[in-house]
Amino acid sequence: EGWSEDQITARAMGDFVVGNILAYPEFNKRIHTVDYGDGHPLNDKVTDAMRRLNWNAPADWCVDIILDPGTARPALLWVAIPPESFWDDGDPYHIVFREMAVPRIHAGEMARRAKAADPHRWYARFIGDAKAGDQTPMGHAHTVFQNYEMEFRKAGLRCQLTGDMFLRGETVWVNRSLKLRTLMQVRTSCGRPRFRVVTHMCPVLVKQLETTVKAVTKEDVQDKLATGQVHDVLDTCEYYAGFNPKFLAPPANQIPKDPGLLMWEADQKFIQDRFRRDKEERKDKIVLGIP
């Protein structure tokens, strides 16, 4: 019932599909989800933990931000890995729980919106498109990654591994798409895939997973996506899967200090040190009574 016409033609009828085929036929939003419905037996501790926080990741989960720095439509994706107590058969879950895709938005505004979405989060990694991120646009002195890193730093977004630097995602589409499809496989032991999406919080990603297609010729199925499609949020998901991230426990004190607060504390320390030094110098020169 969940197959498209192309899938029925290829998998049920055994005919060769000429034109386009789905890039991710394994994806099903009713299976690759966090909330299976009230009273459903597949609901687990992940469902309960995120439902209590209005579908946000708890503070002790490992959370990554993934960037697709497009000019026309940049995108951000939030993916969480819960601690080992939430895993099944020793395999971690990868939970996509927030997305942001706004046309023609610059790096500074994107960083401010990302900070406002979760102001107290201490992230594990920043991952991005290596091919686009290492380019230097015409008329600019910094690369795309450097520009985003500066804006993330101004907004107070920090990560454990690199501070504010972006890690390079997989550039070969075949490699990263294969890893994403591997995460989508349903495990027979528990009936759930490792890749799960909070579907009502990520409608753009769900739509792109369901509709993005690969080009097919009479000779073969091409190892690339068909042209003329928008797959910005899907790209961020692929960069994450291609990076093969591991669980990284967040620090005990998760609330990073605001850059303005750090500057104010530095000024206060400077004033106190200067006052203490001046006071010590004056004490040596003060004479009471007749010398």
Side-chain angles (χ1 to χ4, degrees):
E1 293 180 357
W3 287 354
S4 65
E5 293 184 4
D6 290 340
Q7 288 178 284
I8 294 174
T9 301
R11 303 174 67 176
M13 307 303 295
D15 295 334
F16 188 80
V17 178
V18 178
N20 295 321
I21 61 173
L22 288 175
Y24 295 99
E26 300 87 355
F27 178 76
N28 188 323
K29 65 180 180 181
R30 294 189 296 271
I31 296 175
H32 299 86
T33 185
V34 173
D35 184 12
Y36 293 93
D38 293 338
H40 199 285
L42 287 181
N43 287 335
D44 58 353
K45 293 192 295 183
V46 173
T47 310
D48 295 336
M50 300 196 74
R51 183 180 288 170
R52 286 196 298 267
L53 295 176
N54 196 23
W55 309 109
N56 195 13
D60 59 343
W61 289 18
C62 171
V63 179
D64 297 334
I65 284 184
I66 305 92
L67 167 70
D68 179 32
T71 302
R73 191 181 170 93
L76 286 179
L77 195 70
W78 282 256
V79 186
I81 304 177
E84 191 171 357
S85 59
F86 289 83
W87 301 0
D88 285 313
D89 299 332
D91 290 329
Y93 286 111
H94 302 269
I95 314 295
V96 182
F97 66 96
R98 186 182 295 122
E99 65 180 23
M100 183 168 65
V102 183
R104 300 293 179 182
I105 186 174
H106 58 81
E109 180 63 22
M110 178 171 282
R112 285 190 290 271
R113 295 191 185 192
K115 179 66 175 179
D118 202 345
H120 302 311
R121 178 76 63 183
W122 187 275
Y123 294 97
R125 289 165 288 257
F126 296 152
I127 305 171
D129 176 9
K131 185 177 296 184
D134 289 332
Q135 295 179 1
T136 303
M138 185 177 299
H140 292 262
H142 303 285
T143 65
V144 173
F145 270 157
Q146 289 172 341
N147 186 33
Y148 274 93
E149 289 163 2
M150 289 186 292
E151 296 299 338
F152 271 43
R153 191 183 311 118
K154 291 178 184 177
L157 290 167
R158 308 288 286 176
C159 69
Q160 290 176 256
L161 284 185
T162 57
D164 49 41
M165 295 178 60
F166 277 85
L167 301 170
R168 274 58 181 166
E170 176 62 57
T171 58
V172 180
W173 181 81
V174 176
N175 295 340
R176 64 177 188 254
S177 64
L178 180 59
K179 290 186 178 180
L180 180 56
R181 296 178 68 174
T182 302
L183 292 179
M184 290 182 181
Q185 296 176 358
V186 177
R187 292 167 296 177
T188 56
S189 58
C190 63
R192 307 182 198 92
R194 287 187 289 164
F195 174 77
R196 298 168 68 179
V197 183
V198 182
T199 53
H200 67 280
M201 297 289 289
C202 305
V204 179
L205 175 63
V206 171
K207 180 181 178 181
Q208 293 180 4
L209 281 168
E210 291 179 332
T211 59
T212 302
V213 296
K214 295 189 297 184
V216 179
T217 65
K218 292 182 178 180
E219 288 77 22
D220 60 355
V221 178
Q222 298 182 7
D223 290 331
K224 61 181 180 180
L225 297 177
T227 58
Q229 302 179 96
V230 177
H231 41 76
D232 46 2
V233 183
L234 176 56
D235 289 342
T236 62
C237 194
E238 293 172 350
Y239 297 140
Y240 173 84
F243 192 83
N244 194 26
K246 306 296 183 182
F247 177 79
L248 180 64
N253 182 15
Q254 283 209 48
I255 304 178
K257 292 184 178 179
D258 183 84
L261 177 60
L262 291 175
M263 184 178 296
W264 180 83
E265 290 181 346
D267 291 341
Q268 293 298 309
K269 185 176 184 303
F270 174 79
I271 294 173
Q272 292 174 2
D273 292 344
R274 181 62 183 269
F275 177 77
R276 186 183 304 111
R277 187 167 58 251
D278 292 345
K279 186 176 180 180
E280 292 175 353
E281 292 176 356
R282 289 197 305 270
K283 185 171 63 177
D284 295 338
K285 297 178 182 179
I286 292 177
V287 178
L288 297 178
I290 300 174

